[in-house]
């Protein structure tokens, strides 16, 4: 699995290289904090991890890690918690991704239902649900934008005397279809004529251009046949459905179940929960983040202050790309920076690969 963990300008700078003992203690603190969600003291590290040194040595090492910016003390008398720099160091240098169990793989495949033909939006929605349920973080996905997609051809297929299928093939292989109800019976040669007209006027244009100019391009049918004129108007209305993605003009950003986060300590406070809900309600922020996110063929992990928007400074985002017909979308999870990174990385990597397989 290829893992790209941050952008050059967004990466948290590792302040100093750590000694072997500092790496051991840092890993122990991160793992303990991920498990317990409470400040970690030297005594708990000594008892839990058996590092072969005294509690005093661990306490001194933790103090060094704090001075280097890897640990922080939330209260004067409390233990320490990892900083964003600690999570970054852990992800880049200490992590050991946990393989998914057979049961987890089966659950993902059951949720995604690879054998069920369905629109891309529905597949991404099922994916966000699966990621939420299994990771206990918030699954999210971005449906690809069709604006830059180029229409290769349109086919009109007669299904019955009063029903036809309009098939739009996008360059690089993506196919969009819509059923068309006809008010009158039409001969096959009329469908052929209309197919020629539609392709002469629409093929080779991007979907963005088509949305702007479709009525103008189909205003004049180029024939004196009233039947052809009426049918062309019907197909023009149907073509609008082909150009809409997501369906019904919805947001391209989809979220899984927020309820899975309710048990996490980070969201027991009203402010933290409110900030999460705001992220799901203000889709423009997440659409901008996901649309401009570079993956270079692997996973992308951004942590806390690495995000350029302050609204995301308490969260970690783990995402991967999927591809359909030359277009790119994103699936992944967002959750608090105290995240079981090893499991989440394996989960997002496997799920995105499965989505790609289904779309192929």
């Amino acid at each position: 699995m290829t893992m790209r963990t941050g952008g050059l300008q967004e990466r948290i700078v590792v302040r100093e290289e750590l000694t072997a003992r500092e790496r051991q203690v840092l890993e122990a603190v991160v793992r303990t904090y991920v498990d317990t969600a409470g400040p970690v003291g030297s005594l708990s590290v000594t008892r839990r991890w058996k590092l072969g040194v005294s509690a005093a040595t661990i306490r001194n090492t933790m103090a060094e890690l704090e001075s280097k910016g890897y640990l922080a003390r939330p209260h004067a008398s409390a233990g320490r918690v990892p900083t964003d720099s600690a999570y970054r160091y852990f992800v880049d240098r200490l992590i050991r991704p946990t393989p998914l169990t057979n049961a987890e793989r089966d659950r993902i495949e059951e949720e995604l239902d690879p054998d069920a033909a369905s629109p891309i939006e529905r597949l991404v929605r099922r994916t966000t649900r699966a990621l939420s349920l299994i990771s206990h973080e918030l699954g999210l996905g971005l449906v690809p934008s069709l604006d830059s997609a180029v229409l290769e051809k349109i086919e009109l297929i007669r299904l019955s005397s009063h029903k036809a299928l309009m098939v739009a093939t996008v360059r690089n292989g993506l196919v969009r279809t819509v059923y068309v109800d006809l008010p009158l019976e039409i001969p096959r040669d009329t469908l052929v004529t209309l197919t020629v007209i539609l392709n002469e006027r629409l093929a080779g244009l991007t979907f963005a251009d088509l949305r702007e100019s479709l009525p103008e391009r189909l205003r004049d049918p180029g024939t004196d046949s009233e039947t052809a004129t009426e049918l062309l108007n019907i197909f023009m209305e149907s073509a609008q459905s082909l150009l809409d993605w997501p369906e019904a003009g919805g947001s391209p950003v989809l979220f899984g179940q927020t309820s899975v986060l309710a048990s996490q300590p980070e969201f027991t406070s009203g402010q933290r929960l409110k900030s999460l809900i705001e992220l799901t309600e203000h889709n423009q922020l997440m659409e901008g983040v996901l649309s401009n996110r570079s993956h270079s063929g692997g996973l992308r992990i951004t942590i806390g202050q690495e995000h350029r928007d302050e609204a995301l400074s308490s969260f970690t985002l783990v995402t991967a790309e999927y591809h359909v017909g030359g277009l790119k979308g994103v699936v992944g999870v967002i959750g608090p920076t105290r995240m079981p990174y090893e499991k989440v990385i394996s989960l997002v990597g496997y799920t995105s690969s499965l989505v790609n397989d289904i779309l192929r």
Side-chain angles (χ1 to χ4, degrees):
M1 181 191 306
T2 303
M3 183 170 65
R4 184 172 185 270
T5 55
L8 185 62
Q9 295 181 349
E10 299 170 354
R11 289 288 299 277
I12 294 169
V13 177
V14 175
R15 308 177 186 212
E16 295 181 48
E17 185 50 69
L18 302 182
T19 66
R21 178 172 296 162
E22 287 171 338
R23 289 196 296 271
Q24 276 188 317
V25 172
L26 180 64
E27 181 176 0
V29 172
V30 170
R31 292 185 182 279
T32 301
Y33 185 66
V34 168
D35 289 344
T36 65
V40 181
S42 58
L43 190 58
S44 64
V45 171
T46 305
R47 291 171 176 171
R48 188 179 179 109
W49 296 100
K50 312 297 182 189
L51 298 182
V53 294
S54 67
T57 299
I58 291 176
R59 184 165 53 252
N60 292 336
T61 304
M62 291 175 68
E64 284 296 318
L65 289 169
E66 183 178 356
S67 69
K68 293 180 178 181
Y70 292 100
L71 299 180
R73 198 188 292 258
H75 307 290
S77 59
R80 294 174 175 87
V81 300
T83 64
D84 291 349
S85 295
Y87 290 123
R88 172 52 62 198
Y89 194 98
F90 178 78
V91 166
D92 286 350
R93 309 195 189 187
L94 303 175
I95 206 164
R96 296 186 292 273
T98 304
L100 299 179
T101 65
N102 289 335
E104 288 170 333
R105 289 172 181 260
D106 291 343
R107 179 71 183 280
I108 296 168
E109 293 182 15
E110 178 184 344
E111 291 288 341
L112 268 59
D113 196 5
D115 297 326
S118 61
I120 181 77
E121 300 92 332
R122 195 172 303 164
L123 174 61
V124 176
R125 192 173 295 281
R126 290 200 302 259
T127 302
T128 63
R129 170 184 165 83
L131 289 169
S132 288
L133 292 175
I134 298 172
S135 70
H136 300 290
E137 312 291 344
L138 180 59
L140 78 172
L142 178 71
V143 179
S145 169
L146 279 178
D147 285 351
S148 60
V150 176
L151 178 66
E152 190 170 88
K153 65 178 179 178
I154 286 182
E155 297 175 89
L156 301 178
I157 302 171
R158 188 174 185 269
L159 302 178
S160 67
S161 60
H162 289 81
K163 188 176 285 289
L165 182 69
M166 179 181 285
V167 181
T169 302
V170 179
R171 193 168 292 169
N172 293 325
L174 179 65
V175 175
R176 296 275 287 170
T177 62
V178 63
Y179 289 99
V180 183
D181 292 318
L182 305 172
L184 67 166
E185 185 172 352
I186 59 172
R188 293 184 185 277
D189 59 349
T190 303
L191 274 183
V192 172
T193 299
L194 288 172
T195 300
V196 172
I197 293 173
L198 289 172
N199 280 289
E200 285 179 346
R201 302 182 184 185
L202 305 181
L205 298 173
T206 67
F207 274 53
D209 290 337
L210 289 170
R211 287 193 190 96
E212 293 181 1
S213 62
L214 186 65
E216 181 181 343
R217 292 179 182 278
L218 299 182
R219 181 181 298 124
D220 177 14
T223 175
D224 295 332
S225 169
E226 293 184 5
T227 300
T229 301
E230 183 177 358
L231 289 174
L232 195 61
N233 289 332
I234 292 172
F235 285 121
M236 182 174 67
E237 293 176 3
S238 300
Q240 294 286 2
S241 299
L242 288 176
L243 302 177
D244 285 340
W245 182 343
E247 302 291 354
S251 170
V253 179
L254 304 176
F255 291 98
Q257 293 180 267
T258 56
S259 59
V260 299
L261 292 169
S263 61
Q264 295 204 26
E266 284 84 353
F267 300 108
T268 55
S269 73
Q271 186 55 44
R272 277 288 186 91
L273 187 58
K274 179 183 177 184
S275 65
L276 177 68
I277 293 173
E278 287 177 348
L279 285 179
T280 64
E281 291 178 344
H282 297 88
N283 284 354
Q284 287 185 340
L285 168 60
M286 293 311 302
E287 181 181 352
V289 170
L290 297 178
S291 298
N292 297 312
R293 198 166 169 82
S294 174
H295 293 80
S296 299
L299 289 183
R300 180 77 183 276
I301 303 169
T302 42
I303 302 169
Q305 295 295 331
E306 292 177 356
H307 298 110
R308 292 170 178 167
D309 196 295
E310 185 63 26
L312 295 172
S313 62
S314 299
F315 299 96
T316 286
L317 188 56
V318 182
T319 57
E321 286 180 346
Y322 65 88
H323 301 266
V324 52
L327 305 175
K328 294 188 296 185
V330 177
V331 293
V333 301
I334 187 170
T337 53
R338 185 193 65 86
M339 176 183 287
Y341 288 92
E342 291 161 321
K343 179 179 179 179
V344 169
I345 286 169
S346 295
L347 177 61
V348 172
Y350 178 77
T351 304
S352 63
S353 296
L354 183 56
V355 170
N356 276 311
D357 289 343
I358 293 171
L359 292 172
R360 278 195 292 266

